[in-house]
Amino acid sequence: MDKFEQAFNEIIEKDLKVEPRDWMPEKYRKNLIRQISQHAHSEVIGMQPEGNWLLRAPSLRSKQVLLAKIQDEAGHGLYLYSVAETLGISRQEMNAQLHSGEAKYSSIFNYPTLTWADMGAVGWLVDGAAIVNQVSLQRTSYGPYSRGMVRICKEESFHQRQGYEIMVQMANGTPEQKEMAQDALNRFWEPSLMMFGPHDADSAHSSQSMAWKIKRESNDHLRQRFIDRTVPQAHFLGLTIPDENLKFNEETGHWETSPFNWDEFWNVIKGNGPCNRERLDHHKKAHNENAWVREAAAAYSSKVETSVA
Amino acid sequence: MKLELQHDESKFLIRLADTSVILGQRLAEMCSRGPFLEEDMALSNISLDLFGRAEELYKLICKIEGADYTPDDLVYRRNEREYYNIKLVEQPNEDFAWVIARQFFHDLYAETLFGQLTTSSNAELAGLAVKVLKEIKYSHMHAADWMDRLGLGTEESNHRLQYAVDHLRKYIVEIFDFDDLDRRFIADTASLETTWRNAVSAKLQACNIEEKEIVTPSIRDFRDGYHSEHMGNLLSIMQYLPRAYPDAKW
């Protein structure tokens, strides 16, 4: 072990932060780029399922809140791309990896948003699950990622409240609205639990990430925290969690659920979910059809620079 | 629901409110479709400003009317012929050049108009005008910068901008075909038009876009609730939920 590696290990051991100029093992760097770019892509692709209802938002207020929320997500994408750039990868490269399928994004965004209640369920469950994960990541060992998470968490908690507010409104609304709310919960419950990733024993990157303190808590641990937090919220809404085996274990103090449909989880990850193709095509289309705009901006700025010189 | 306005001031203000909400909706269509992430956020921001502006104007209208309906009723429960926005803002996002040219034309008009409204005898309206003027100046700057980039960038971007400008200028004449209501609430309608025309001519020339002769089109006046065919489609999407579930609260 050389002195650089020793210094790196010491940073990890003492719970200090690794900074962009510090030496780091190549695998640590790669692992971070994979995770952070995946996180950034998730924010950006996540704009689509909500964007699907933006034009149909049923009041001026809900439209402005939803648009502000989607705009925040674009902003989170930007922070995270910038964090990844400190590790020596460009936004163009990350974009190319997204388009080639080499880089992933959270599978949850491959599910369609079918009714307005889904705007509630996405905020409540999807952002709710994301927050549990991101709060934990505030203590990640890579400095820029950790600081980015602190900022993102503040905005995410507002997003979750926005979602829950829609659920409250729908669950207390007309019978049709309540039915929409229950249907949204039915469709998003299990996919949101699977957002935490496979069980610890089946997670390819988990143990190394935990050792390097990139991840601070295991998938199953975070998932359980989310379940325990969310079940009472569903009860408060008067909605039923779509799991007939759901029960509270008095001894452990935790809610227990049925085994998940992991076949579906892996199938969606492999690209066979309801909207995988659509999400990527949408992103590629916006990128490709606007190539001329980026070219014009570049041409103009080089002309202006030349004339100044 | 038939929402008939009784007061002249609200009949004038609803033109501005409708113009804001429809342009906001058009820009919201660009969300996740921008040329890059920063621009996506910029367009969302401008859209948010427009929805906020519309909401404030509708609130003023409800107040003037002493109405038992709300801004949401005005937005979601009127049909095409009861909307009084300028036709320019309902034109579609054919490409980014359309988005920019439409915005540039609108912002120049809105900037002078709200500038004049800052001295309105209605103190609330004057206060609102001061606030929105700041937003419009940013939006105008954003659009003007893109006019330069597109007009002077590449041959393709210049052609696309020229095409968008040629189409959209068709919807300019009606804006300045003022009626008595305009003349009552806009301090100086003549300067509104000259300021706009001079600034547009200067900009088009500076960014290498030809200002072609256009024949005055027979498209009927937005002040009487006339629209292009795009309007009904836009409203059918925007108003879907409150129309489909009239008893629901959102």
Side-chain angles (χ1 to χ4, degrees):
Chain A
M1 190 186 298
D2 61 20
K3 61 177 181 180
F4 292 112
E5 196 174 348
Q6 215 164 359
F8 172 81
N9 287 342
E10 214 174 288
I11 291 174
I12 301 295
E13 209 171 295
K14 288 185 177 163
D15 254 340
L16 301 171
K17 299 296 178 206
V18 179
E19 295 299 335
R21 286 182 186 174
D22 293 337
W23 182 90
M24 61 188 85
E26 216 30 51
K27 279 189 177 164
Y28 176 85
R29 183 188 300 276
K30 284 215 170 98
N31 202 330
L32 268 176
I33 289 177
R34 182 190 57 77
Q35 181 169 332
I36 298 169
S37 73
Q38 178 171 327
H39 197 160
H41 295 324
S42 300
E43 297 280 359
V44 172
I45 296 294
M47 295 164 73
Q48 292 179 37
E50 294 185 303
N52 181 41
W53 280 92
L54 177 58
L55 301 175
R56 291 175 288 174
S59 69
L60 281 168
R61 180 173 186 275
S62 65
K63 196 188 282 283
Q64 291 174 74
V65 173
L66 185 60
L67 181 52
K69 180 183 177 208
I70 300 174
Q71 193 193 24
D72 280 350
E73 275 148 18
H76 296 173
L78 269 185
Y79 299 161
L80 289 160
Y81 284 128
S82 307
V83 170
E85 281 176 326
T86 65
L87 293 158
I89 185 168
S90 69
R91 218 204 292 180
Q92 287 83 346
E93 284 172 274
M94 286 184 269
N95 210 35
Q97 287 177 356
L98 173 67
H99 289 178
S100 73
E102 189 187 338
K104 301 285 183 209
Y105 55 87
S106 176
S107 246
I108 191 76
F109 301 118
N110 290 319
Y111 289 87
T113 51
L114 300 181
T115 73
W116 174 251
D118 290 14
M119 296 303 96
V122 166
W124 173 37
L125 301 174
V126 175
D127 290 298
I131 292 170
V132 169
N133 195 28
Q134 287 166 347
V135 164
S136 175
L137 282 172
Q138 292 180 94
R139 294 187 294 122
T140 189
S141 58
Y142 187 56
Y145 193 27
S146 160
R147 291 188 288 274
M149 278 303 121
V150 172
R151 222 170 135 172
I152 286 174
C153 279
K154 284 183 192 154
E155 293 177 350
E156 289 287 354
S157 63
F158 153 77
H159 294 175
Q160 196 198 10
R161 282 203 297 275
Q162 170 264 353
Y164 197 67
E165 184 187 282
I166 293 177
M167 291 308 283
V168 170
Q169 210 173 31
M170 302 285 283
N172 294 306
T174 64
E176 284 161 318
Q177 283 177 302
K178 186 160 184 179
E179 200 180 306
M180 278 189 234
Q182 181 65 52
D183 174 59
L185 173 58
N186 293 351
R187 284 181 286 109
F188 278 94
W189 172 249
E190 195 170 86
S192 68
L193 298 186
M194 293 197 279
M195 280 175 70
F196 293 94
H199 285 308
D200 298 342
D202 309 318
S203 179
H205 306 282
S206 269
S207 55
Q208 183 61 72
S209 290
M210 292 282 280
W212 275 329
K213 297 184 180 172
I214 294 175
K215 275 173 79 159
R216 302 306 305 254
E217 291 169 280
S218 77
N219 293 353
D220 286 328
H221 189 83
L222 292 166
R223 180 167 21 238
Q224 188 62 52
R225 181 177 301 155
F226 174 70
I227 293 169
D228 291 340
R229 185 179 290 184
T230 309
V231 171
Q233 292 172 347
H235 291 159
F236 176 80
L237 291 170
L239 299 179
T240 310
I241 299 275
D243 179 353
E244 52 190 27
N245 297 314
L246 182 82
K247 64 168 189 292
F248 189 70
N249 184 326
E250 297 282 353
E251 268 174 48
T252 60
H254 293 301
W255 287 92
E256 290 173 356
T257 57
S258 301
F260 308 130
N261 182 355
W262 289 109
D263 290 342
E264 176 179 307
F265 175 79
W266 292 113
N267 201 32
V268 177
I269 286 204
K270 284 180 189 137
N272 305 313
C275 301
N276 299 55
R277 183 69 189 263
E278 287 79 356
R279 299 297 185 230
L280 265 190
D281 283 354
H282 177 115
H283 195 270
K284 285 179 193 169
K285 188 164 180 264
H287 186 76
N288 296 337
E289 286 183 355
N290 284 304
W292 68 272
V293 179
R294 295 188 299 275
E295 283 158 19
Y300 176 74
S301 92
S302 68
K303 279 178 199 170
V304 172
E305 274 164 31
T306 316
S307 69
V308 171
Chain B
M1 190 183 281
K2 196 81 182 160
L3 296 163
E4 286 210 31
L5 303 180
Q6 306 298 328
H7 297 81
D8 284 351
E9 188 171 21
S10 42
K11 285 181 194 166
F12 168 73
L13 288 176
I14 205 156
R15 296 173 182 173
L16 313 187
D18 290 351
T19 295
S20 300
V21 84
I22 298 300
L23 185 54
Q25 179 79 357
R26 275 288 182 239
L27 287 177
E29 289 174 13
M30 291 300 293
C31 184
S32 82
R33 293 183 174 83
F36 46 90
L37 215 40
E38 287 86 344
E39 186 54 34
D40 216 294
M41 293 171 73
L43 294 176
S44 291
N45 237 345
I46 298 167
S47 172
L48 273 171
D49 283 346
L50 285 158
F51 285 127
R53 186 179 314 162
E55 190 172 13
E56 292 305 315
L57 287 164
Y58 288 124
K59 277 188 204 161
L60 266 179
I61 291 166
C62 290
K63 197 170 167 186
I64 292 166
E65 293 290 313
D68 54 0
Y69 47 77
T70 64
D72 280 339
D73 291 329
L74 287 170
V75 172
Y76 289 94
R77 300 186 195 263
R78 282 180 300 148
N79 66 31
E80 298 88 316
R81 301 282 281 106
E82 297 166 300
Y83 257 85
Y84 300 100
N85 54 282
I86 55 175
K87 291 186 201 74
L88 172 72
V89 296
E90 69 199 40
Q91 301 311 308
N93 306 316
E94 291 290 347
D95 67 12
F96 190 70
W98 283 63
V99 175
I100 292 305
R102 187 184 60 207
Q103 198 65 36
F104 179 70
F105 289 166
H106 166 270
D107 288 350
L108 252 177
Y109 156 73
E111 190 172 340
T112 314
L113 180 57
F114 281 96
Q116 293 197 17
L117 292 177
T118 57
T119 54
S120 165
S121 57
N122 180 335
E124 264 183 274
L125 177 59
L128 178 63
V130 170
K131 178 181 166 278
V132 305
L133 202 53
K134 286 183 199 154
E135 301 165 357
I136 298 170
K137 281 185 173 157
Y138 277 110
S139 178
H140 178 187
M141 208 187 324
H142 168 263
D145 286 350
W146 272 113
M147 289 291 286
D148 290 336
R149 290 187 199 108
L150 298 185
L152 303 170
T154 62
E155 203 180 318
E156 181 181 3
S157 67
N158 178 278
H159 287 170
R160 284 179 184 263
L161 184 60
Q162 181 72 60
Y163 186 77
V165 164
D166 291 346
H167 270 253
L168 293 171
R169 281 183 60 225
K170 170 178 172 183
Y171 298 103
I172 299 305
V173 177
E174 67 167 1
I175 299 177
F176 302 115
D177 192 10
F178 301 109
D179 66 0
D180 289 342
L181 215 48
D182 292 323
R183 280 185 284 269
R184 239 182 94 188
F185 294 100
I186 303 172
D188 186 352
T189 49
S191 87
L192 181 56
E193 178 168 8
T194 30
T195 307
W196 191 93
R197 293 205 182 278
N198 293 341
V200 164
S201 293
K203 183 53 134 187
L204 293 183
Q205 200 173 12
C207 67
N208 201 19
I209 295 294
E210 199 185 333
E211 195 173 356
K212 295 175 186 163
E213 280 292 323
I214 54 164
V215 179
T216 304
S218 303
I219 52 175
R220 296 190 173 171
D221 201 331
F222 76 89
R223 292 166 186 82
D224 300 320
Y226 288 109
H227 295 277
S228 51
E229 284 185 345
H230 303 296
M231 186 65 181
N233 292 296
L234 184 151
L235 288 186
S236 68
I237 292 172
M238 186 167 85
Q239 298 178 333
Y240 154 68
L241 279 171
R243 296 279 201 191
Y245 304 95
D247 301 327
K249 288 208 165 49
W250 308 95

